[in-house]
Amino acid sequence: MDNLQNLTELVREIGSSDGPTAVFAAGKLGKIGMGAAIASVVIGLLFCFLGLKLIKVISALIGLGVGAAVGGIVSSAADITGFTRIIIVFAAAVFLGALIYFLHRVGIFLMTFIATVSAVFTFVGASEKVYVMAALGAALILGIAAMIFAEPGAIIITSVLGGVSAGTGIVSLAGLTGNKFILLGVAGVMAVLGMAVQFILYSRKSGEEEKPIRRRIRKKNSMESEVEKARMLLDDDEEEDEY
């Protein structure tokens, strides 16, 4: 149970930090400043509509947050304080951020894992062991699936996170933070729009990448057709010579 509590603490610390993983925590705030609400909308829109294009940057930010949280927890467990603690936190954040920038599939996994656990803790709570186990199990399954299907997984998770972030900011600016159904509705609409746009862009990109392949195939087929025609002409000439 201690391990579960440590992991829960890690997820909560990551979720409470600034950055992409804080969007679910932002939904808990009754009132946030105008600047924070606008920033939430802007970040959410970027996630919603450009998540796949920015996935390496987003993965690096996730790595920074996770690294900082891990460094903080390790420092606390080792009873390290002062400047040494700052160095450990900073080094862990930079190392993991740089690593995950290049291993963006790992970033997609972490993003999905943290978002799933944070969502369950936000809407269900983490007071019961069964909730923690269910959250971790669901997060692990979804994280692995998102990592395997990297592009679709990145589109879905960034759209959902962006929808929640943008929805939180929009609802806050409209002064409707007390109504969770409005928040869920706005976040859901933004997430669906983000997925639609990103999947359209992704399909177009895939189509553009396939064009050279299709051209090579057509060229090859054309050459084979010309060779076949030449062979048939030679066969016809040989038959005429026989007669």
Side-chain angles (χ1 to χ4, degrees):
M1 188 63 186
D2 291 338
N3 292 330
L4 289 177
Q5 289 175 345
N6 291 335
L7 186 54
T8 302
E9 180 184 352
L10 173 60
V11 172
R12 282 175 170 171
E13 187 169 343
I14 296 170
S16 64
S17 62
D18 294 332
T21 58
V23 292
F24 285 104
K28 294 181 179 181
L29 299 177
K31 294 181 180 180
I32 60 177
M34 180 71 71
I38 294 174
S40 181
V41 173
V42 172
I43 293 173
L45 292 177
L46 289 174
F47 269 54
C48 269
F49 301 110
L50 296 174
L52 183 58
K53 292 182 178 294
L54 300 174
I55 191 60
K56 285 191 174 183
V57 176
I58 296 171
S59 296
L61 293 175
I62 295 292
L64 286 172
V66 173
V70 170
I73 291 176
V74 170
S75 298
S76 298
D79 197 22
I80 299 173
T81 59
F83 188 69
T84 304
R85 176 187 175 93
I86 295 174
I87 292 176
I88 292 175
V89 171
F90 179 78
V94 172
F95 172 76
L96 205 55
L99 180 65
I100 295 181
Y101 176 84
F102 296 102
L103 302 176
H104 64 275
R105 284 178 182 265
V106 179
I108 294 172
F109 170 81
L110 290 175
M111 196 186 315
T112 306
F113 185 92
I114 294 168
T116 303
V117 174
S118 299
V120 174
F121 287 173
T122 298
F123 294 104
V124 178
S127 57
E128 298 291 336
K129 181 179 178 180
V130 64
Y131 295 155
V132 176
M133 295 296 294
L136 295 177
L140 183 62
I141 293 171
L142 292 176
I144 292 174
M147 184 172 61
I148 293 173
F149 304 100
E151 286 80 9
I155 290 173
I156 293 171
I157 189 61
T158 55
S159 295
V160 171
L161 289 174
V164 174
S165 179
T168 300
I170 292 170
V171 169
S172 298
L173 290 172
L176 300 172
T177 53
N179 194 320
K180 286 188 177 181
F181 292 104
I182 293 178
L183 172 60
L184 290 174
V186 175
V189 170
M190 295 301 299
V192 170
L193 288 175
M195 286 184 206
V197 171
Q198 288 201 69
F199 272 115
I200 290 172
L201 294 176
Y202 174 65
S203 63
R204 287 181 178 176
K205 179 184 177 182
S206 299
E208 291 294 328
E209 291 175 350
E210 290 175 359
K211 281 183 179 180
I213 299 175
R214 289 198 296 266
R215 282 197 294 267
R216 286 196 295 269
I217 292 174
R218 284 198 298 267
K219 184 177 180 180
K220 181 181 178 182
N221 291 337
S222 177
M223 292 177 62
E224 290 176 351
S225 178
E226 292 297 328
V227 170
E228 181 65 21
K229 287 179 181 179
R231 189 185 64 80
M232 292 177 65
L233 288 173
L234 290 173
D235 289 344
D236 291 340
D237 290 340
E238 289 177 358
E239 290 178 359
E240 290 177 0
D241 291 342
E242 290 177 359
Y243 288 110

